[in-house]
Amino acid sequence: MSAREPLYSVQRRERIMDELREHGAVSVSVLAAQLGVSELTVRRDINTLAQQGLVTRVHGGATLRSSLDTGMRSTAAPLPAKYTIGMVVPSLDYYWPPIVHGARAQAAQLRASLLLRASTYDSRDNRRQVEALLKTPGLHGLIVAPDTLGDDAIETLRWLDSLPVPVVLAERRVRTAAAARRLDSVASDHTAGAALAVHHLHEVGHTRIGLFIESENPTGRYVRRGWSSALDSLGLPTDVAMLHGIRFDAPGREEAMDDALALLKSTGTTAVIVLPDPQAIALEQHALDRGVRVPHDLAIVAYDDDVARFGDPAITAVRPPKEFVGREAVSLLIARLEAGSSRPAYRVTLSPELHVRQSTLPASIDAAGTAGTAVEGDQTA
């Protein structure tokens, strides 16, 4: 059934629960677009599910219910929450739901209640959401994901470091220039993740490996650094296709993707890493429409692995450990609460994984384009 066809209320709520089980959190605006209904209708459905004890309403969306949520039905009375943690994330749709899900799961295990607020990538909005949480009686600490690269980043980090409760940055790094002494952080090692992709493509026979990045993606600078250093360490050529600021989902997309394919051809680039997934899928589909075979003429690795498996052929992808970022953020915060000011600041990085699929199967990269050995399924490197 198409997302634009009318759905009965029960069907809509089933779809909402399916999204929650997969991602841990949902956004009202995204659900409204997917279901083809108004945001008011989605809010009413979420209210109904909340009244049934199935979900928890949060600012801008909903999350799966935790055993620590007030009023949760249980055969045994749950232990009261020991800590109250506020969490502000820039999105409840792409990338962040698994991080939220991991944080909620870890909070439940460690007897903490998690108060979630959705922000945007705008620093002022992020600050407003943090300030709103600070007004919560009995708040013990915060997990936040502010912009750490923009013009106001240093000031924001210093402000967070000065707050009366401990703060952990999730999927963000503490910049040295901020001189923040108390901030903890946990982030995926995207530099290592990009290097994984380069080494994999080299192992299956490619020497000219390019990179396409969406401009506003905060992961981009680390992926580019990992890609560049891996090319250098392997002694691979660097005069390959590189684009920063791709928008294969915007007006003029076909012309942009034609230009990208022309750049790949003119530079002899036979493999490309694309950040993020939706841009990789768009490029793959366009390449196939233009007669460029994947992986025989062009191998593609996506970075993020949220939707890469839905490509046809399924796209090999680097998967950051998102759920574990959420879990570790909660663990770091509670460890600081229990150890006090004597605990040094922890700056933790977690390694991504490479999931090998059909878009990078060993294949001929010469003019003949003879297919190599087929591999079935999804492998983890």
Side-chain angles (χ1 to χ4, degrees), residues 152-174:
D152 300 327
I154 299 300
E155 180 186 346
T156 298
L157 291 173
R158 288 173 179 166
W159 173 68
L160 291 170
D161 194 46
S162 70
L163 294 181
V165 297
V167 177
V168 176
L169 304 187
E171 205 60 290
R172 298 289 187 266
R173 293 167 175 80
V174 181

Side-chain angles (χ1 to χ4, degrees), residues 228-366:
S228 179
S229 63
L231 293 184
D232 289 342
S233 67
L234 292 170
L236 299 180
T238 57
D239 58 336
V240 292
M242 196 283 161
L243 290 174
H244 186 272
I246 59 169
R247 287 304 306 269
F248 298 157
D249 55 355
R253 61 195 298 268
E254 289 207 2
E255 182 179 352
M257 288 188 286
D258 280 338
D259 290 344
L261 292 177
L263 178 63
L264 290 166
K265 183 176 180 180
S266 66
T267 57
T269 304
T270 61
V272 64
I273 301 165
V274 184
L275 170 72
D277 285 18
Q279 308 289 354
I281 289 180
L283 179 67
E284 179 188 61
Q285 292 172 345
H286 192 75
L288 294 170
D289 290 345
R290 292 292 190 261
V292 178
R293 297 172 301 165
V294 177
H296 310 94
D297 305 319
L298 176 66
I300 300 175
V301 174
Y303 200 100
D304 276 353
D305 204 22
D306 269 1
V307 294
R309 64 189 182 281
F310 298 127
D312 186 15
I315 299 178
T316 292
V318 177
R319 179 182 299 173
K322 302 171 194 174
E323 181 173 341
F324 290 95
V325 168
R327 286 182 173 274
E328 186 63 21
V330 171
S331 295
L332 284 174
L333 186 53
I334 292 179
R336 175 163 293 282
L337 288 169
E338 295 185 343
S341 59
S342 62
R343 177 180 166 91
Y346 278 52
R347 310 284 161 78
V348 178
T349 55
L350 304 178
S351 299
E353 294 180 327
L354 179 72
H355 289 253
V356 179
R357 304 187 180 102
Q358 286 77 15
S359 71
T360 59
L361 297 183
S364 172
I365 53 177
D366 58 17

Side-chain angles (χ1 to χ4, degrees), residues 190-204:
H190 298 302
T191 301
L196 273 177
V198 172
H199 280 268
H200 165 68
L201 289 167
H202 184 242
E203 287 168 2
V204 297

